[in-house]
Amino acid sequence: MKINKYLEYFLTKLKVCIREKVFKSNDYEIRYILEKNESNDLLIVFSSCTRIGVKARYNYNRTLKNIKANKLFILDDFGYDKRGAFYLGKNFDFKIHDGVLELIKNISMELNIDKKIYIGSSKGGYAALLFGVQDNNSYIITGAPQYYLDIWLKSEVNKKTFEYIVGDIKDSKKVEHVRFLLANKIKQNYKNNNKIYLHYSKNEHTYDEHIISLINDLNKYNYSYSFDERDYTNHSDVSKYFPEFIIGKLNEIL
């Protein structure tokens, strides 16, 4: 069993080395992998946050290997420790965000994409919502996403990441802007006809800190959404349940 696990890890690393490309935008280098298929559908997959000491990784590559659609895996390896900056930017410049939008637009035009599906969990789930709601008629499959970034980023463990994104964390206006960034995007783009599929557990801290407010806003602005509620207590357990949810929803959408 361990041999198979290590072999799969090695093959994944080899695949990254061979297929990874770099999109240069606004002084940032955005790393991505594009897998092309005979399809007009595009899956856009964002990376979640790794544990301390581990650089950002591509997520759900194995989960999606049998799905016959174009796949764009976008890595968030920014930040002081390369664990990510929520695809936003450095020192409040939001240039990573703008570069990701540009990358998605370019790939969509190149492949003549009709249907886009944004996918991610935790930090990746935040990104799936952030970029997905800005896109007309998109589908969003998100698992246990953060909603108010300052709640997650102000902890001692993540404080340096917060400083990387905001710059001056004593600037209340900047902190408030980052806190409500996703909430404001949901408010501004409610006419974009998005369909949101939300996975979460009521028994882990993300629900009280983020999910309740997210669901309230989705209802407030009349978004089309459905949810998958599971029973686990650790936020990291989203990785055990979310892959099955992804495949189930893709089978419905595609």
Side-chain angles (χ1 to χ4, degrees):
M1 192 73 176
K2 282 189 176 180
I3 294 176
N4 290 337
K5 183 177 180 181
Y6 289 130
L7 178 60
E8 194 163 354
Y9 174 76
F10 172 77
L11 292 174
T12 300
K13 292 287 286 184
L14 181 62
K15 186 177 183 180
V16 169
C17 291
I18 295 172
R19 296 191 178 184
E20 186 177 64
K21 297 181 180 180
V22 174
F23 178 71
K24 295 183 179 181
S25 174
N26 297 317
D27 301 322
Y28 288 96
E29 293 187 347
I30 300 171
R31 301 184 184 280
Y32 70 96
I33 294 174
L34 177 62
E35 296 183 7
K36 297 180 181 180
N37 275 291
E38 292 297 324
S39 168
N40 294 112
D41 303 322
L42 176 64
L43 312 184
I44 304 158
V45 189
F46 300 94
S47 59
S48 57
C49 196
T50 54
R51 66 181 184 276
I52 293 175
V54 178
K55 294 180 181 180
R57 296 172 175 171
Y58 292 99
N59 288 139
Y60 303 115
N61 194 289
R62 285 176 291 167
T63 299
L64 300 169
K65 65 181 179 180
N66 294 323
I67 300 296
K68 300 302 180 183
N70 298 291
K71 302 160 197 170
L72 174 61
F73 299 90
I74 307 176
L75 188 66
D76 178 14
D77 62 342
F78 301 98
Y80 78 99
D81 57 0
K82 303 299 182 183
R83 293 171 63 227
F86 279 80
Y87 296 88
L88 296 179
K90 183 179 181 180
N91 294 329
F92 207 68
D93 65 8
F94 297 98
K95 289 182 178 180
I96 298 171
H97 167 273
D98 296 343
V100 171
L101 283 177
E102 186 180 0
L103 171 62
I104 294 170
K105 180 180 178 181
N106 289 353
I107 296 296
S108 299
M109 292 178 63
E110 174 191 341
L111 300 179
N112 193 29
I113 296 300
D114 292 328
K115 184 185 298 178
K116 280 172 272 185
I117 304 166
Y118 294 78
I119 301 170
S121 62
S122 193
K123 179 187 72 174
Y126 175 94
L129 285 165
L130 178 67
F131 294 101
V133 297
Q134 297 180 70
D135 194 357
N136 288 320
N137 302 309
S138 73
Y139 296 82
I140 302 164
I141 305 174
T142 179
Q146 286 82 29
Y147 194 49
Y148 300 131
L149 283 196
D150 63 318
I151 294 176
W152 188 85
L153 290 170
K154 276 184 177 179
S155 69
E156 198 60 37
V157 173
N158 300 308
K159 187 177 180 181
K160 287 185 178 180
T161 300
F162 198 31
E163 291 175 345
Y164 180 91
I165 296 170
V166 177
D168 182 6
I169 61 174
K170 294 181 180 179
D171 188 324
S172 59
K173 289 185 178 179
K174 289 183 178 180
V175 170
E176 183 178 7
H177 181 86
V178 171
R179 174 182 175 83
F180 292 108
L181 179 62
L182 178 53
N184 285 331
K185 292 295 183 185
I186 285 175
K187 178 181 178 180
Q188 294 162 4
N189 294 287
Y190 70 95
K191 293 183 179 180
N192 276 353
N193 193 36
N194 309 114
K195 292 180 175 60
I196 298 172
Y197 305 92
L198 173 64
H199 163 92
Y200 62 87
S201 168
K202 279 188 175 181
N203 297 316
E204 64 105 349
H205 68 90
T206 306
Y207 180 75
D208 288 331
E209 295 174 358
H210 302 279
I211 303 298
I212 291 176
S213 297
L214 170 60
I215 291 175
N216 286 340
D217 282 350
L218 293 178
N219 285 324
K220 181 178 180 180
Y221 299 110
N222 294 314
Y223 274 82
S224 172
Y225 78 93
S226 62
F227 57 82
D228 174 54
E229 185 180 310
R230 297 299 181 96
D231 183 15
Y232 51 89
T233 56
N234 295 319
H235 182 67
S236 60
D237 283 343
V238 65
S239 63
K240 298 178 182 178
Y241 296 90
F242 191 53
E244 178 186 350
F245 181 65
I246 295 174
I247 297 302
K249 290 307 168 186
L250 288 178
N251 286 336
E252 292 179 18
I253 296 168
L254 300 176

